[in-house]
Amino acid sequence: MRFKAPRWKAIAFRTAFRFTFCSALLFPGAFLHSQEVRQDTLEDARQNVEQLQEVVRELRQEVRKLQEEIRGLRQGNFSEYGEYGFDSVSAYTPHRFIHRLGIEARPQYVFPTNPFLRGENERWKPIQTSFSAHLKYSFKFRPNTCADRIYGGAYQGFGLAFTTFGDKKQLGDPFTFYLFQGARIARFNPRLSLNYEWNFGISAGWQPYDNDYNSYNGAVGSRMNAYLNAGIYLNWAFSRYFDLIIGGDFTHFSNGNTKFPNAGVNTTGAKIGLVYNFNREESDLTKSLVTPLIPRFPRHISYDLVMFGSWRRKGVYVESGKQIASPGSYPVAGFNFAPMYNLNYKFRFGVSLDGVYDGSANVYIEDVITEYGDTGARRFCRPGLQHQLALGLSGRAEYVMPYFTIGVGLGSNVLGRGDLRGLYQVFALKMNITRSSFLHIGYNLQNFQTPNYLMLGLGFRFHNKYPKVRH
């Protein structure tokens, strides 16, 4: 059977063919040009499709990588993401840190903690005020990164300061070099935050006590003294490059009981400053739409072993109720062994076994019969070794930040005699050298008031599973 098309379709086909044939005869150039344009358009479309297919393949690969990383996070498998653990997810930036240079002015009030500062001095005037100027360099983690979220915008660096008390002859005008670190306490918006900061260093240029030339000075006994400072302040980023800071702080100067006298100088007051940020971007001052993923912290127990040593002076009470300073210094050596439970990125706590040899413990003045008017020097005597050894237990807590760890401890000697009995307190700063070693700078107090000794040493950390955090 022969198929027959409808009549109207045949008429339409013949009309279209005739129109195309006539157009090609009357306008051959236009007809050929339209064919070329159509072919070029098809070629461009084909190339665009190929490019889109290539982009889709790359996106699929990235999605697979992200899925693998998320799977590793959920399983808590940190070993496959770097030598020291998971290398946390964060957006790539051309510079890991923001570098900063700041200046500060700190007018201070001097606490009248001893007769010399209250006015019993050469001028018979109280020393009530001081002023210090600071120049500081620091670097901080970029906003909206993993490290910024974990440590609250932590920054760290070093500073130089000049301090005057208005009495150069009796106290001096010391210069100070110090390390410092700070971080965010609260953020009100991307440009305004409440921060804290601590400083720790050494100051030189003091005028110490001298029996012949500076006998009134009962506050400072050495030309070099430790410097400790802590404060809080508001930080306002009023432009891309500049921050304004304003707040208050507390400062302590002393020699750590390495020389007599050691009453120290304590001040408090205001701080105001300006910080220039060299490579901060406008995007760093806006709220990010992307939140970096913080890897789960692997809770674990690590073990810290610290070996320390120092030296100290000793004062012994006599019949009149006054203290007589020992003519020389005594050695101090000891150790701490502390199993520490790592709770999260910023806190760890535990118990420490503390052993110490204190060469000044239980020293005494020899009882001798002297003739009337004899002003000869008294003889200091040292007891047996068993009276200068102690072993104690203390509870420890540590605040962990990049590069630095701040620790406190409260304990009691379970083995010890005389001066070594009672409660003791420990304040320590640990500065990381490697992943498993650190410098230790600490101080020991007795019964919350009596200065004991410095703890300068080296520490080692075992079974450390703290993750490495990308900056």
Side-chain angles (χ1 to χ4, degrees):
M1 181 177 178
R2 186 178 179 183
F3 176 76
K4 186 177 182 180
R7 183 177 178 81
W8 65 271
K9 289 186 176 181
I11 295 172
F13 176 77
R14 288 196 297 268
T15 304
F17 177 77
R18 290 170 182 172
F19 178 78
T20 304
F21 182 74
C22 293
S23 298
L25 291 176
L26 294 174
F27 308 101
F31 181 78
L32 293 176
H33 178 71
S34 63
Q35 293 294 326
E36 293 175 357
V37 170
R38 188 177 298 109
Q39 292 177 358
D40 292 342
T41 303
L42 291 174
E43 184 66 24
D44 292 341
R46 188 180 299 108
Q47 292 178 358
N48 290 336
V49 169
E50 292 176 354
Q51 292 176 357
L52 287 174
Q53 290 174 343
E54 182 66 24
V55 171
V56 169
R57 283 193 292 269
E58 293 177 355
L59 288 175
R60 286 176 178 172
Q61 292 177 359
E62 293 296 328
V63 169
R64 291 193 192 98
K65 291 179 181 179
L66 288 174
Q67 288 174 341
E68 291 175 0
E69 292 178 353
I70 292 173
R71 191 179 302 112
L73 287 174
R74 290 175 176 174
Q75 296 174 355
N77 184 9
F78 292 87
S79 60
E80 61 185 72
Y81 294 99
E83 179 182 358
Y84 299 124
F86 180 77
D87 202 358
S88 59
V89 179
S90 64
Y92 170 77
T93 53
H95 300 282
R96 294 166 52 188
F97 303 109
I98 297 176
H99 298 275
R100 307 161 6 126
L101 188 66
I103 55 174
E104 288 182 14
R106 301 183 187 178
Q108 303 277 296
Y109 167 74
V110 180
F111 290 103
T113 52
N114 56 74
F116 172 73
L117 298 175
R118 289 195 290 267
E120 295 183 20
N121 51 49
E122 188 177 276
R123 300 194 307 166
W124 292 102
K125 291 182 179 180
I127 299 175
Q128 298 178 322
T129 60
S130 70
F131 178 83
S132 62
H134 297 249
L135 177 65
K136 303 163 65 177
Y137 163 78
S138 64
F139 61 95
K140 68 176 296 183
F141 303 118
R142 283 194 173 275
N144 307 319
T145 60
C146 193
D148 174 74
R149 288 192 61 200
I150 293 174
Y151 301 114
Y155 62 92
Q156 43 279 313
F158 60 88
L160 295 171
F162 169 77
T163 304
T164 179
F165 296 90
D167 194 337
K168 184 175 182 179
K169 182 179 179 181
Q170 295 188 93
L171 267 181
D173 293 334
F175 286 89
T176 304
F177 173 80
Y178 59 91
L179 303 174
F180 66 90
Q181 187 177 61
R184 187 171 55 244
I185 299 174
R187 179 162 54 188
F188 307 108
N189 59 58
R191 291 179 177 266
L192 182 64
S193 63
L194 178 66
N195 297 0
Y196 75 86
E197 182 181 299
W198 59 261
N199 305 169
F200 178 78
I202 189 167
S203 60
W206 294 84
Q207 291 294 337
Y209 169 84
D210 185 275
N211 190 51
D212 297 323
Y213 303 104
N214 199 11
S215 59
Y216 289 103
N217 187 352
V220 178
S222 56
R223 293 189 179 277
M224 299 181 67
N225 290 277
Y227 163 79
L228 294 91
N229 173 275
I232 59 174
Y233 66 92
L234 287 171
N235 188 99
W236 176 40
F238 64 88
S239 76
R240 172 183 171 182
Y241 293 107
F242 288 98
D243 293 354
L244 177 67
I245 64 172
I246 183 168
D249 63 355
F250 173 83
T251 302
H252 172 71
F253 294 98
S254 73
N255 61 41
N257 220 28
T258 56
K259 286 193 175 182
F260 248 56
N262 183 40
V265 178
N266 301 307
T267 69
T268 187
K271 60 185 294 185
I272 184 169
L274 193 66
V275 180
Y276 179 78
N277 299 268
F278 287 95
N279 57 330
R280 187 164 67 185
E281 305 294 339
E282 285 289 350
S283 59
D284 295 328
L285 300 175
T286 59
K287 188 174 182 180
S288 176
L289 298 177
V290 179
T291 301
L293 181 65
I294 297 178
R296 182 177 60 85
F297 185 84
R299 294 182 176 181
H300 62 284
I301 296 177
S302 59
Y303 303 89
D304 284 10
L305 175 63
V306 175
M307 311 294 292
F308 67 87
S310 66
W311 68 99
R312 64 170 298 186
R313 294 288 296 275
K314 183 77 172 185
V316 177
Y317 285 98
V318 295
E319 296 83 0
S320 61
K322 294 183 178 181
Q323 271 190 326
I324 295 180
S326 61
S329 299
Y330 298 94
V332 177
F335 73 90
N336 306 138
F337 179 72
M340 303 292 290
Y341 180 70
N342 293 256
L343 180 64
N344 55 37
Y345 280 100
K346 297 173 69 173
F347 294 101
R348 65 169 69 108
F349 58 89
V351 178
S352 177
L353 178 65
D354 308 320
V356 66
Y357 163 74
D358 183 355
S360 71
N362 297 309
V363 298
Y364 61 94
I365 297 176
E366 185 178 32
D367 292 328
V368 295
I369 300 176
T370 59
E371 296 182 1
Y372 178 77
D374 185 5
T375 59
R378 297 174 182 261
R379 180 184 175 188
F380 281 72
C381 301
R382 297 173 64 175
L385 182 64
Q386 69 274 17
H387 294 276
Q388 297 183 317
L389 294 173
L391 189 66
L393 289 173
S394 62
R396 298 295 181 100
E398 294 185 346
Y399 180 63
V400 183
M401 292 293 281
Y403 312 106
F404 301 101
T405 298
I406 298 174
V408 295
L410 174 62
S412 178
N413 286 323
V414 294
L415 297 176
R417 302 181 182 183
D419 295 346
L420 297 175
R421 293 176 180 174
L423 296 175
Y424 61 87
Q425 298 78 48
V426 176
F427 302 91
L429 174 66
K430 298 178 180 179
M431 296 180 286
N432 296 339
I433 302 175
T434 67
R435 180 171 171 79
S436 58
S437 63
F438 54 87
L439 290 177
H440 180 278
I441 302 175
Y443 197 71
N444 186 290
L445 291 173
Q446 188 174 29
N447 297 325
F448 297 98
Q449 60 180 358
T450 305
N452 258 357
Y453 47 80
L454 285 170
M455 304 166 67
L456 308 176
L458 183 64
F460 301 92
R461 182 168 295 120
F462 305 97
H463 195 250
N464 184 16
K465 295 184 179 180
Y466 194 96
K468 184 179 179 182
V469 178
R470 181 181 292 276
H471 301 158

mmCIF file of all heavy atoms in Angstrom, residues 88 103 108 127 133 167 180 216 227 304 329 347 349 389 398 429 438 444-445 449 467:
data_model
loop_
_atom_site.group_PDB
_atom_site.id
_atom_site.type_symbol
_atom_site.label_atom_id
_atom_site.label_comp_id
_atom_site.label_asym_id
_atom_site.label_seq_id
_atom_site.Cartn_x
_atom_site.Cartn_y
_atom_site.Cartn_z
ATOM 1 N N SER A 88 43.793 21.871 60.132
ATOM 2 C CA SER A 88 42.398 22.294 60.093
ATOM 3 C C SER A 88 42.048 23.038 58.822
ATOM 4 O O SER A 88 42.878 23.669 58.198
ATOM 5 C CB SER A 88 42.108 23.181 61.295
ATOM 6 O OG SER A 88 42.937 24.291 61.270
ATOM 7 N N ILE A 103 51.984 52.001 69.428
ATOM 8 C CA ILE A 103 52.552 52.865 70.457
ATOM 9 C C ILE A 103 51.512 53.016 71.567
ATOM 10 O O ILE A 103 50.306 53.017 71.298
ATOM 11 C CB ILE A 103 52.964 54.247 69.909
ATOM 12 C CG1 ILE A 103 51.784 54.921 69.206
ATOM 13 C CG2 ILE A 103 54.146 54.122 68.961
ATOM 14 C CD1 ILE A 103 52.073 56.355 68.775
ATOM 15 N N GLN A 108 50.313 56.037 85.429
ATOM 16 C CA GLN A 108 50.065 55.046 86.473
ATOM 17 C C GLN A 108 50.056 55.677 87.875
ATOM 18 O O GLN A 108 50.702 56.711 88.131
ATOM 19 C CB GLN A 108 51.154 53.969 86.437
ATOM 20 C CG GLN A 108 51.293 53.261 85.091
ATOM 21 C CD GLN A 108 50.309 52.135 84.920
ATOM 22 O OE1 GLN A 108 50.339 51.152 85.634
ATOM 23 N NE2 GLN A 108 49.415 52.291 83.947
ATOM 24 N N ILE A 127 56.197 58.832 96.626
ATOM 25 C CA ILE A 127 56.276 58.557 95.189
ATOM 26 C C ILE A 127 54.939 57.929 94.799
ATOM 27 O O ILE A 127 54.670 56.770 95.105
ATOM 28 C CB ILE A 127 57.450 57.624 94.875
ATOM 29 C CG1 ILE A 127 58.759 58.289 95.295
ATOM 30 C CG2 ILE A 127 57.480 57.267 93.385
ATOM 31 C CD1 ILE A 127 59.978 57.405 95.149
ATOM 32 N N ALA A 133 56.099 54.872 78.306
ATOM 33 C CA ALA A 133 55.823 54.925 76.864
ATOM 34 C C ALA A 133 56.296 53.616 76.253
ATOM 35 O O ALA A 133 57.389 53.122 76.577
ATOM 36 C CB ALA A 133 56.547 56.104 76.231
ATOM 37 N N ASP A 167 61.768 60.356 90.017
ATOM 38 C CA ASP A 167 62.851 60.390 91.000
ATOM 39 C C ASP A 167 63.974 59.488 90.506
ATOM 40 O O ASP A 167 64.155 58.362 90.970
ATOM 41 C CB ASP A 167 62.354 59.934 92.370
ATOM 42 C CG ASP A 167 63.319 60.277 93.491
ATOM 43 O OD1 ASP A 167 64.519 60.459 93.197
ATOM 44 O OD2 ASP A 167 62.884 60.372 94.652
ATOM 45 N N PHE A 180 54.655 39.733 74.905
ATOM 46 C CA PHE A 180 53.259 39.937 75.280
ATOM 47 C C PHE A 180 52.351 39.109 74.379
ATOM 48 O O PHE A 180 52.719 38.687 73.276
ATOM 49 C CB PHE A 180 52.873 41.412 75.216
ATOM 50 C CG PHE A 180 52.889 42.027 73.846
ATOM 51 C CD1 PHE A 180 51.758 42.009 73.039
ATOM 52 C CD2 PHE A 180 54.042 42.629 73.350
ATOM 53 C CE1 PHE A 180 51.770 42.575 71.778
ATOM 54 C CE2 PHE A 180 54.062 43.202 72.083
ATOM 55 C CZ PHE A 180 52.921 43.170 71.297
ATOM 56 N N TYR A 216 67.710 54.623 101.846
ATOM 57 C CA TYR A 216 66.262 54.690 102.087
ATOM 58 C C TYR A 216 65.476 53.711 101.209
ATOM 59 O O TYR A 216 64.346 53.366 101.534
ATOM 60 C CB TYR A 216 65.740 56.104 101.809
ATOM 61 C CG TYR A 216 66.180 57.134 102.831
ATOM 62 C CD1 TYR A 216 67.208 58.028 102.538
ATOM 63 C CD2 TYR A 216 65.572 57.213 104.074
ATOM 64 C CE1 TYR A 216 67.610 58.977 103.454
ATOM 65 C CE2 TYR A 216 65.969 58.158 105.012
ATOM 66 C CZ TYR A 216 66.996 59.042 104.699
ATOM 67 O OH TYR A 216 67.390 59.971 105.612
ATOM 68 N N TYR A 227 59.475 42.129 85.109
ATOM 69 C CA TYR A 227 58.340 43.005 84.793
ATOM 70 C C TYR A 227 57.143 42.146 84.433
ATOM 71 O O TYR A 227 57.214 41.277 83.558
ATOM 72 C CB TYR A 227 58.723 43.914 83.618
ATOM 73 C CG TYR A 227 57.561 44.582 82.915
ATOM 74 C CD1 TYR A 227 56.944 45.698 83.456
ATOM 75 C CD2 TYR A 227 57.094 44.095 81.695
ATOM 76 C CE1 TYR A 227 55.884 46.322 82.795
ATOM 77 C CE2 TYR A 227 56.043 44.712 81.026
ATOM 78 C CZ TYR A 227 55.444 45.820 81.584
ATOM 79 O OH TYR A 227 54.404 46.424 80.927
ATOM 80 N N ASP A 304 53.841 16.260 81.587
ATOM 81 C CA ASP A 304 54.841 17.330 81.575
ATOM 82 C C ASP A 304 55.896 17.060 82.641
ATOM 83 O O ASP A 304 55.569 16.849 83.825
ATOM 84 C CB ASP A 304 54.192 18.686 81.849
ATOM 85 C CG ASP A 304 53.438 19.221 80.640
ATOM 86 O OD1 ASP A 304 53.275 18.462 79.675
ATOM 87 O OD2 ASP A 304 53.002 20.389 80.677
ATOM 88 N N SER A 329 73.819 34.319 98.431
ATOM 89 C CA SER A 329 72.655 33.665 97.828
ATOM 90 C C SER A 329 72.735 32.163 98.038
ATOM 91 O O SER A 329 73.820 31.591 98.216
ATOM 92 C CB SER A 329 72.601 33.977 96.325
ATOM 93 O OG SER A 329 72.476 35.360 96.109
ATOM 94 N N PHE A 347 42.220 24.539 77.461
ATOM 95 C CA PHE A 347 42.330 24.241 78.889
ATOM 96 C C PHE A 347 42.835 22.820 79.105
ATOM 97 O O PHE A 347 42.431 21.884 78.418
ATOM 98 C CB PHE A 347 40.968 24.409 79.580
ATOM 99 C CG PHE A 347 40.465 25.817 79.607
ATOM 100 C CD1 PHE A 347 39.504 26.238 78.712
ATOM 101 C CD2 PHE A 347 40.969 26.732 80.526
ATOM 102 C CE1 PHE A 347 39.043 27.536 78.713
ATOM 103 C CE2 PHE A 347 40.513 28.038 80.541
ATOM 104 C CZ PHE A 347 39.551 28.441 79.638
ATOM 105 N N PHE A 349 44.146 20.377 82.823
ATOM 106 C CA PHE A 349 44.289 20.371 84.276
ATOM 107 C C PHE A 349 44.798 19.010 84.720
ATOM 108 O O PHE A 349 44.684 18.015 83.994
ATOM 109 C CB PHE A 349 42.959 20.705 84.970
ATOM 110 C CG PHE A 349 41.827 19.777 84.634
ATOM 111 C CD1 PHE A 349 41.608 18.625 85.385
ATOM 112 C CD2 PHE A 349 40.990 20.036 83.554
ATOM 113 C CE1 PHE A 349 40.579 17.763 85.077
ATOM 114 C CE2 PHE A 349 39.956 19.174 83.231
ATOM 115 C CZ PHE A 349 39.748 18.031 83.997
ATOM 116 N N LEU A 389 65.167 19.522 101.864
ATOM 117 C CA LEU A 389 64.482 18.803 100.803
ATOM 118 C C LEU A 389 62.998 18.722 101.122
ATOM 119 O O LEU A 389 62.602 18.584 102.284
ATOM 120 C CB LEU A 389 65.054 17.395 100.648
ATOM 121 C CG LEU A 389 66.499 17.285 100.161
ATOM 122 C CD1 LEU A 389 66.968 15.836 100.235
ATOM 123 C CD2 LEU A 389 66.627 17.807 98.742
ATOM 124 N N GLU A 398 45.931 24.953 83.462
ATOM 125 C CA GLU A 398 46.683 25.702 82.455
ATOM 126 C C GLU A 398 45.754 26.252 81.378
ATOM 127 O O GLU A 398 44.790 25.595 80.963
ATOM 128 C CB GLU A 398 47.745 24.812 81.807
ATOM 129 C CG GLU A 398 48.844 24.390 82.763
ATOM 130 C CD GLU A 398 49.946 23.603 82.097
ATOM 131 O OE1 GLU A 398 49.753 23.144 80.960
ATOM 132 O OE2 GLU A 398 51.016 23.430 82.720
ATOM 133 N N LEU A 429 54.853 30.374 83.345
ATOM 134 C CA LEU A 429 54.694 30.665 81.929
ATOM 135 C C LEU A 429 55.548 29.664 81.155
ATOM 136 O O LEU A 429 56.757 29.551 81.391
ATOM 137 C CB LEU A 429 55.143 32.095 81.611
ATOM 138 C CG LEU A 429 55.152 32.482 80.131
ATOM 139 C CD1 LEU A 429 53.730 32.503 79.570
ATOM 140 C CD2 LEU A 429 55.825 33.842 79.930
ATOM 141 N N PHE A 438 59.632 22.882 75.975
ATOM 142 C CA PHE A 438 59.276 24.271 76.258
ATOM 143 C C PHE A 438 60.203 24.841 77.328
ATOM 144 O O PHE A 438 60.790 24.102 78.129
ATOM 145 C CB PHE A 438 57.814 24.376 76.711
ATOM 146 C CG PHE A 438 57.452 23.480 77.868
ATOM 147 C CD1 PHE A 438 57.640 23.879 79.185
ATOM 148 C CD2 PHE A 438 56.925 22.207 77.636
ATOM 149 C CE1 PHE A 438 57.313 23.050 80.247
ATOM 150 C CE2 PHE A 438 56.586 21.362 78.689
ATOM 151 C CZ PHE A 438 56.786 21.785 80.006
ATOM 152 N N ASN A 444 57.341 30.686 92.921
ATOM 153 C CA ASN A 444 56.731 29.945 94.014
ATOM 154 C C ASN A 444 56.505 30.872 95.203
ATOM 155 O O ASN A 444 57.428 31.567 95.641
ATOM 156 C CB ASN A 444 57.638 28.770 94.404
ATOM 157 C CG ASN A 444 57.003 27.866 95.438
ATOM 158 O OD1 ASN A 444 56.843 28.225 96.595
ATOM 159 N ND2 ASN A 444 56.672 26.653 95.013
ATOM 160 N N LEU A 445 55.273 30.876 95.703
ATOM 161 C CA LEU A 445 54.903 31.618 96.901
ATOM 162 C C LEU A 445 54.573 30.646 98.023
ATOM 163 O O LEU A 445 54.189 29.496 97.774
ATOM 164 C CB LEU A 445 53.679 32.512 96.654
ATOM 165 C CG LEU A 445 53.834 33.713 95.736
ATOM 166 C CD1 LEU A 445 52.477 34.357 95.503
ATOM 167 C CD2 LEU A 445 54.787 34.729 96.328
ATOM 168 N N GLN A 449 51.566 34.678 100.403
ATOM 169 C CA GLN A 449 52.152 35.992 100.692
ATOM 170 C C GLN A 449 53.672 36.019 100.724
ATOM 171 O O GLN A 449 54.285 37.008 100.327
ATOM 172 C CB GLN A 449 51.614 36.515 102.037
ATOM 173 C CG GLN A 449 51.925 35.607 103.215
ATOM 174 C CD GLN A 449 51.394 36.132 104.521
ATOM 175 O OE1 GLN A 449 50.814 37.218 104.576
ATOM 176 N NE2 GLN A 449 51.567 35.367 105.602
ATOM 177 N N PRO A 467 46.162 18.812 68.397
ATOM 178 C CA PRO A 467 46.144 18.948 66.931
ATOM 179 C C PRO A 467 46.908 20.196 66.479
ATOM 180 O O PRO A 467 46.969 21.207 67.178
ATOM 181 C CB PRO A 467 44.656 19.075 66.585
ATOM 182 C CG PRO A 467 43.929 18.639 67.807
ATOM 183 C CD PRO A 467 44.816 18.937 68.967
#
